[in-house]
Structures are given as C-alpha cells and as structure tokens.
Amino acid sequence: MSSASVVPRGRAAVTFAARLTFEAVERRYGDGMALRGVSLDIAPGEVVCLLGPSGCGKTTLLRIASGIEKPSRGRVLINDAEVAGPNRFVPPEERSVGLMFQDFALFPHLDVLDNVAFGLRALPREEARREALAILARVGLEGFAHEQPNTLSGGQQQRVALARAIVPRPAVMLMDEPFSGLDVQLRDSMQEETLALLRETRATSLIVTHHPEEAMRLGDRIAVMRGGHLVKLGTAEDLYRHPGELFIARMFSEINEVPYKVSKGAIATPIGNVPAPGLAEGDTAILCIRERGIVLRVPSAEGAEGGLAGRVLDVKFLGAVALLEVGIEGFDAPLRVRAREIEGWRKGAEVRVTIDTERVLVFASSGAETL
Ligand code: ATP
C-alpha cells in the first residue's frame, strides 16, 4: 500500500468500501463555471446516479472524483481523507478508483485478456492474467480471452470494459454513461449484470446517465444536477413523489401542465380547489397531472358516478399502454392519459374521469414546487 493511498489497495474478493464526499466543489473553465459548489456524500457501497441535462457538469464532477481534473475550490474526500483540495492532491492511480467510459476505451492492439490484465500492472504477469481470466469468466467471456476487442459485439466490449475497471477491486467505481453505446434490449440486461457485479464487489459507485429510468433502476439515490448545481438528491421514489422542481417532475413521469391564476392561496380547478402556498394573489401556478394519474371509466361502471364527464378524442397504442387524448369538462384543452391498452378505449367514447387531488403537483411558473 502506497503511503499516499487513502484506502487499502486490495485484490481481495471484496473491495474495502469507501465513503466518497464532495464538499462545495467548484470548477471554473475561463469565465465559465462547470460546477458551482456541489456537496454530496456517498456512503460506502452505495450506488448514486448523476442525472441532468447536457452540460450541467456531470462528467466534470466524475473527472474531479477520479483525479483527472482538479477542483477550483472545495474538497473531495475518500474515507474522510482529502484527495483533492487546498491541502492535498492525490493522483488518480493512488485513489483506488475504477473508471469506465461511454466508448469503453479498450486498447485495440491488446487482446481481451491483456486489456483486462492492464488494470493489474502492479502484479506479476502470470498472476495478473490469472485474475483477469477469473473476472472474464465472471462476466461470461472466458472464451474470448484471445480475441481482439474490435471483433466483439457492443455488449461484449462493455463487459470487457467493466471487467477491466473492476478487476483491481477499486473502492470507488466511476462510470460515465456506461450503457449509452448499447441498443435498448442489450442495455436492459447489461444494467442488471453491472449492478450485480457492483453489489458483489461492494464498490461505492457514481454513475452518470441521461436517462431517468436508468437512474431509477440503478441508483440507491439519484443526484439531479442543473447548471453546475446539485438541485435534488433522493431515492427514486422521493424524486417521483416530491420532485421539488417542474423540470424534475417532467423527467420522472409524463405530465399534463395546466396554468391557473392563484386566488387566496389556491387555484380553482375542475377537480376542486388545490392549495398553492407561497404564491401571491394573481401569480400563475402550474397544475401538473400525471398521465397515469387519470382514471377513465365507462359511464355505467361502478365508481364512475363521481367523476367528470369526458370524451376520448384520440388513441395511440404503445403496447401494454395506450396514450389517449381526452376532452374533460372544465378543462380548456384536452389532457393526455396513459391507460391500460387492455381496456380497449375507442376514439369518440364517452368516459367518466377521476383525478386524485392528492396525486397532483402544483408549481410556481418559475418551476419551483409550492409547499
Ligand atoms: P453531457 O451530458 O453532455 O456529457 P455534462 O453534464 O457531463 O454534459 P460537463 O461535460 O461536465 O457536462 O460540462 C459542464 C460544462 O463545463 C459545460 O458547459 C462544458 O462546456 C464545460 N466544460 C467541460 N470541460 C471543459 C473544458 N475542458 N474546457 C472548457 N469548458 C469545459
């Protein structure tokens, strides 16, 4: 173990899980700020997904964790020891971090085995190759050890990259859009396999993604970034139920947005008065209704009496779910509704519509959720 290492460097079967902490991290590029004071504490063995629009600073935060970049201000700590900050800078190779990129970055001139063994350069060659073979077996690629990377499929290359990153048993795994190069079906199974391997090794993991569903699937918690800020941190369920901001609500479910003027701290809607606390008289509030939060019934059905009258204006079949446009009494414009396809809704059908007021969200026109 090098004197500068902050976690025991091991090749043991299980990683020494490490805490990864960002304290008010800033990163300036010329006049621009890529990160504006990001604080985030990731528990040992936890998987956190970084989610946010293009250019919000996700990759920069990952690069700072790895040591490829330095913060302009603030600190990064691994197991409470500073690895980047005013007092100390620990280079990437001494941080016990594993890195995996979107393009996999395999060495084209090395075969699969040597690509994986590259992560174990510190070991005697035979031992490194033995360990590399063991991890290749773990990801189901032992039969490809002597192939060149460019002869493998996208999914196989992804497994090689994963094996190479994980074989030194890094305490922290940093992954930058690791699945975006894969087609949708493959992505599904690779997400499962990758998560299983991360859990098995107990590596603390930070995964950058553009896809909310991927973040919900992989992350113990999700950190949502925008404009260099970390704007929200929570479990998938927290973020879904209490998004806090309109742009986060839009990320996590399909919604209808209907503007209303605030009067006496509430908005008067066809489903009753909905509180809009914190907004001034005459402000605009946006009522958000989830497309899946609207229940349609045939008028004669049980429970349909209390609903609003509506008519199906359009139906699109999306497999198990149908996307409907429904004109509803009291609403100026039709609402989109996602319903089970099996219900067999037809264009022109009369329906009764129920919207649960407990499940709607109200935002200020600035996008902030009213509390
Ligand atoms: P994407 O999802 O598109 O990869 P991101 O959220 O990962 O985006 P970053 O790559 O971290 O965003 O970039 C954040 C901001 O910092 C962007 O405005 C980007 O242009 C800027 N930036 C990043 N790296 C550099 C650099 N080396 N020099 C100058 N500006 C940079």
Side-chain angles (χ1 to χ4, degrees):
M1 176 180 158
S2 122
S3 58
S5 289
V6 286
V7 282
R9 309 200 105 216
R11 300 175 284 102
V14 178
T15 296
F16 295 91
R19 175 174 296 280
L20 173 64
T21 312
F22 299 90
E23 280 181 6
V25 169
E26 292 184 12
R27 180 67 171 119
R28 184 181 294 281
Y29 291 111
D31 291 340
M33 290 281 274
L35 298 174
R36 298 166 184 271
V38 172
S39 296
L40 173 62
D41 193 26
I42 308 177
E46 189 181 22
V47 177
V48 170
C49 287
L50 273 182
L51 181 68
S54 198
C56 69
K58 305 181 294 292
T59 297
T60 304
L61 194 67
L62 207 73
R63 289 165 65 86
I64 284 177
S66 73
I68 297 172
E69 301 231 13
K70 293 183 178 178
S72 311
R73 295 178 76 161
R75 304 199 303 160
V76 181
L77 301 100
I78 297 181
N79 275 343
D80 302 321
E82 186 172 310
V83 293
N87 305 315
R88 195 163 174 229
F89 182 78
V90 178
E93 62 278 11
E94 289 171 15
R95 291 189 185 189
S96 188
V97 293
L99 271 169
M100 192 173 150
F101 300 102
Q102 179 174 357
D103 61 1
F104 312 143
L106 298 176
F107 303 117
H109 57 286
L110 297 182
D111 68 13
V112 164
L113 184 63
D114 284 338
N115 259 283
V116 176
F118 183 83
L120 298 169
R121 319 192 270 305
L123 295 184
R125 185 170 158 82
E126 274 321 300
E127 199 181 336
R129 288 167 69 96
R130 213 168 36 243
E131 293 215 8
L133 263 180
I135 194 87
L136 279 173
R138 170 63 186 79
V139 298
L141 285 181
E142 68 272 43
F144 295 82
H146 300 296
E147 304 288 335
Q148 297 304 118
N150 64 5
T151 65
L152 304 184
S153 70
Q156 290 167 334
Q157 291 187 30
Q158 209 264 2
R159 287 194 185 95
V160 176
L162 180 64
R164 184 179 66 182
I166 208 109
V167 75
R169 304 291 181 191
V172 175
M173 266 295 270
L174 304 168
M175 308 174 102
D176 197 353
E177 306 212 25
F179 309 105
S180 58
L182 305 176
D183 64 50
V184 177
Q185 275 122 10
L186 200 54
R187 205 181 283 179
D188 229 43
S189 58
M190 285 312 301
Q191 285 171 354
E192 292 297 314
E193 286 183 34
T194 304
L195 192 59
L197 202 57
L198 294 176
R199 297 283 187 219
E200 211 172 292
T201 59
R202 297 206 60 227
T204 306
S205 306
L206 189 57
I207 305 175
V208 167
T209 174
H210 266 113
H211 302 285
E213 201 181 316
E214 187 167 291
M216 291 175 103
R217 221 169 145 161
L218 297 177
D220 295 316
R221 287 187 299 164
I222 301 170
V224 181
M225 293 185 64
R226 186 169 62 176
H229 293 281
L230 197 166
V231 288
K232 189 91 182 169
L233 176 67
T235 63
E237 196 174 342
D238 289 340
L239 268 55
Y240 179 84
R241 294 197 192 287
H242 309 288
E245 301 235 9
L246 182 54
F247 93 99
I248 300 177
R250 285 181 188 143
M251 279 180 167
F252 287 98
S253 67
E254 297 89 359
I255 51 180
N256 293 280
E257 298 175 27
V258 192
Y260 289 95
K261 289 281 176 225
V262 175
S263 169
K264 300 194 187 84
I267 51 177
T269 79
I271 53 172
N273 275 355
V274 181
L279 294 190
E281 192 72 14
D283 277 358
T284 298
I286 298 166
L287 177 72
C288 286
I289 306 171
R290 297 189 201 277
E291 292 180 10
R292 288 171 200 269
I294 304 174
V295 178
L296 305 182
R297 291 189 178 89
V298 289
S300 57
E302 206 179 312
E305 321 72 52
L308 300 167
R311 181 184 293 277
V312 176
L313 303 177
D314 194 24
V315 183
K316 288 199 173 64
F317 290 94
L318 309 177
V321 163
L323 178 60
L324 294 90
E325 243 183 55
V326 183
I328 302 173
E329 72 171 301
F331 286 95
D332 293 343
L335 298 187
R336 285 183 315 274
V337 179
R338 280 176 201 255
R340 292 194 312 159
E341 186 275 328
I342 201 157
E343 309 280 359
W345 298 111
R346 293 282 170 264
K347 192 168 165 176
E350 302 273 352
V351 288
R352 300 298 296 180
V353 183
T354 318
I355 301 170
D356 181 357
T357 44
E358 294 295 312
R359 294 185 60 198
V360 300
L361 300 164
V362 179
F363 295 91
S365 54
S366 65
E369 190 173 355
T370 63
L371 296 171

